[in-house]
């Protein structure tokens, strides 16, 4: 497998392939940068089609964490890990303990946490073998509510920039994917008076949001064709692509998914169409911000974490303003901001 030739390889400091025959563990850990501090980023479990897809994903996600942590002004570098396999069938304490032992061997260059298909309970099992995990129960805990809050505030920031106000009463929002973060986002949007259109491959998740928030359920593919104000991608990445962009009618794209743009050029296409895009690693940084406050010597403080998350509004406002004045797409401005912080320090 040619890692160095991967399109997403970006001078990563370390890529580690992990295996444990007894538990069936197959995992990859990617450390992109430790310039601002130890690499921090969650572990996701996914049934990848092949190993190459897993490598592509972990390289892309780990670089995104470097930029996310920098723009959020956290003393963390960027890293990510993936466990290969179906979460419904391969999860076991033995597997997570084996993964924890692999984390321990990295001696703190990378700290893991929960992500897609990984719970805080799973992280606690890893913790039996290593201290290099964050988002622990009894400390910062589940980061989803903070990611949801940041994403909601990001939508408000986008609305403020686009229309000069933050009143979301009566606006139409399509939400793609209804995991824990998206559920929290839907709650915030519903309480703000927005009308929700939702989809997910899990019908129970759809039914829950329809029942709790009066949302309208739509088909998986139908979500792109709706006449809405905001499209919120909250599932896996690359849903903004050559096929979907001509179909998306929303003037704002703002959601909690990682890597929403299939390719960098799609951000420029959105700008040319007049669609305001909230860069994913900026708007969805609430969870990692919350996790950071677990590392403070004085102990976790939810109020301070929340105040930091609320700063996502101001960061996005700055990015939107620079994008307009410099006539560059918002994701390019976000990248430039991250690079400035990495070069100059926090």
């Amino acid at each position: 497998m040619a890692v160095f030739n991967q399109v997403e390889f970006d001078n990563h400091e370390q890529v580690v392939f992990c295996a444990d025959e007894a538990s069936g563990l197959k995992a990859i850990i990617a450390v992109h940068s430790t310039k601002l501090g130890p690499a921090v980023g969650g572990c996701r479990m996914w049934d990848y089609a092949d190993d190459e897809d897993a490598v592509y994903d972990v390289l892309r996600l780990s670089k995104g964490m470097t930029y996310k942590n920098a723009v959020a002004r956290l003393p963390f570098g960027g890293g990510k890990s993936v466990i290969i396999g179906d979460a419904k069938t391969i999860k076991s304490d033995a597997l997570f303990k084996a993964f924890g032992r692999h984390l321990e061997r990295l001696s703190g260059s990378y700290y893991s946490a929960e992500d897609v298909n990984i719970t805080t309970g799973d992280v606690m099992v890893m913790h039996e073998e290593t201290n290099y995990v964050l988002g622990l129960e009894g400390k910062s805990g589940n980061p989803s509510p903070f990611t949801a809050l940041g994403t909601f505030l990001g939508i408000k920031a986008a609305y403020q920039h686009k229309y000069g106000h933050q009143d979301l009463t009566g606006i139409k929002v399509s939400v793609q994917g209804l995991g824990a973060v998206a559920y929290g986002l839907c709650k915030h949007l519903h309480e703000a008076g927005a009308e929700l259109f939702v989809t997910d491959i899990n019908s129970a998740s759809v039914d829950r949001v329809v029942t709790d928030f009066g949302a309208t359920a739509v088909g998986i593919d139908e979500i792109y064709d709706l006449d809405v104000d905001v499209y919120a991608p909250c599932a896996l990445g690359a849903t903004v692509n050559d096929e979907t962009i001509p179909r998306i009618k929303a003037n704002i794209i703002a959601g909690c998914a990682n890597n929403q743009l299939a390719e960098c050029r799609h951000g420029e296409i959105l700008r040319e169409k007049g669609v305001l895009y909230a860069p994913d690693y900026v708007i969805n940084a609430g969870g990692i911000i919350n996790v950071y406050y677990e590392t403070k010597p004085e102990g976790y403080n939810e109020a301070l974490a929340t105040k930091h998350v609320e700063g996502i509004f101001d960061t996005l406002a700055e990015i939107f303003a620079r994008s307009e004045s410099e006539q560059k797409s918002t994701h390019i401005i976000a990248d430039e901001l991250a690079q400035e912080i990495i070069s100059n320090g926090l």
Side-chain angles (χ1 to χ4, degrees):
M1 185 184 301
V3 174
F4 296 117
N5 293 330
Q6 269 267 6
V7 66
E8 291 299 329
F9 183 80
D10 182 58
N11 293 314
H12 284 66
E13 295 179 11
Q14 195 172 23
V15 181
V16 180
F17 293 81
C18 312
D20 179 72
E21 184 176 4
S23 66
L25 172 72
K26 292 182 179 179
I28 308 171
I29 300 169
V31 176
H32 177 253
S33 172
T34 56
K35 186 164 184 182
L36 294 179
V40 178
C43 174
R44 68 172 45 181
M45 182 178 286
W46 195 255
D47 194 13
Y48 294 98
D50 52 46
D51 294 349
E52 286 76 9
D53 283 356
V55 171
Y56 176 89
D57 205 28
V58 77
L59 291 176
R60 192 180 197 196
L61 289 165
S62 56
K63 177 182 177 181
M65 287 306 304
T66 296
Y67 283 31
K68 177 185 292 190
N69 291 335
V71 173
R73 292 169 173 81
L74 301 175
F76 292 157
K80 205 78 173 183
S81 53
V82 298
I83 296 175
I84 300 170
D86 186 348
K88 296 178 181 177
T89 60
I90 73 164
K91 275 192 176 187
S92 70
D93 283 1
L95 182 142
F96 290 121
K97 287 181 181 180
F99 184 70
R101 291 192 291 273
H102 281 285
L103 292 176
E104 185 68 18
R105 294 188 186 106
L106 294 180
S107 302
S109 63
Y110 167 69
Y111 284 73
S112 193
E114 66 87 37
D115 198 353
V116 176
N117 289 325
I118 299 289
T119 67
T120 52
D122 299 330
V123 174
M124 293 301 291
V125 178
M126 298 175 195
H127 186 41
E128 295 179 28
E129 301 288 339
T130 183
N131 287 320
Y132 302 127
V133 286
L134 296 171
L136 298 174
E137 294 176 355
K139 293 188 178 181
S140 67
N142 182 6
S144 297
F146 297 86
T147 309
L149 173 61
T151 305
F152 171 68
L153 294 173
I155 291 175
K156 294 189 76 173
Y159 226 77
Q160 174 68 46
H161 182 82
K162 192 81 174 175
Y163 301 110
H165 66 86
Q166 302 174 37
D167 184 4
L168 305 185
T169 304
I171 74 162
K172 297 179 179 180
V173 182
S174 58
V175 182
Q176 178 188 49
L178 296 171
V181 175
Y183 179 86
L185 173 62
C186 288
K187 184 175 187 294
H188 285 298
L189 289 168
H190 173 69
E191 291 172 351
E195 183 179 356
L196 301 173
F197 299 82
V198 300
T199 194
D200 193 281
I201 58 174
N202 186 332
S203 60
S205 297
V206 174
D207 292 343
R208 183 186 182 200
V209 174
V210 169
T211 299
D212 291 354
F213 308 128
T216 300
V218 300
I220 294 292
D221 191 57
E222 184 186 356
I223 198 78
Y224 301 110
D225 300 310
L226 302 179
D227 187 8
V228 296
D229 301 288
V230 179
Y231 164 54
C234 296
L236 294 180
T239 64
V240 181
N241 52 54
D242 288 332
E243 179 185 339
T244 62
I245 288 175
R247 298 165 59 187
I248 294 172
K249 298 179 177 63
N251 289 321
I252 293 171
I253 295 179
C256 62
N258 286 312
N259 300 322
Q260 294 168 28
L261 304 179
E263 298 178 34
C264 183
R265 61 185 177 85
H266 293 125
E268 184 59 26
I269 294 172
L270 293 178
R271 188 183 75 84
E272 291 172 353
K273 288 188 62 176
V275 178
L276 184 60
Y277 169 61
D280 44 28
Y281 62 77
V282 182
I283 194 173
N284 68 13
I288 192 66
I289 291 171
N290 182 58
V291 163
Y292 163 65
Y293 281 86
E294 181 178 307
T295 71
K296 302 287 280 185
E298 62 270 25
Y300 175 70
N301 185 309
E302 183 176 345
L304 290 177
T306 301
K307 184 176 181 180
H308 195 152
V309 171
E310 289 170 350
I312 289 173
F313 182 102
D314 297 324
T315 301
L316 281 169
E318 176 188 350
I319 289 169
F320 295 150
R322 282 180 57 172
S323 170
E324 191 170 285
S325 65
E326 298 178 27
Q327 290 297 290
K328 294 179 181 178
S329 57
T330 54
H331 77 291
I332 295 296
I333 295 295
D335 286 357
E336 291 177 352
L337 178 59
Q339 290 159 3
E340 290 166 11
I341 294 168
I342 293 166
S343 296
N344 300 325
L346 295 172

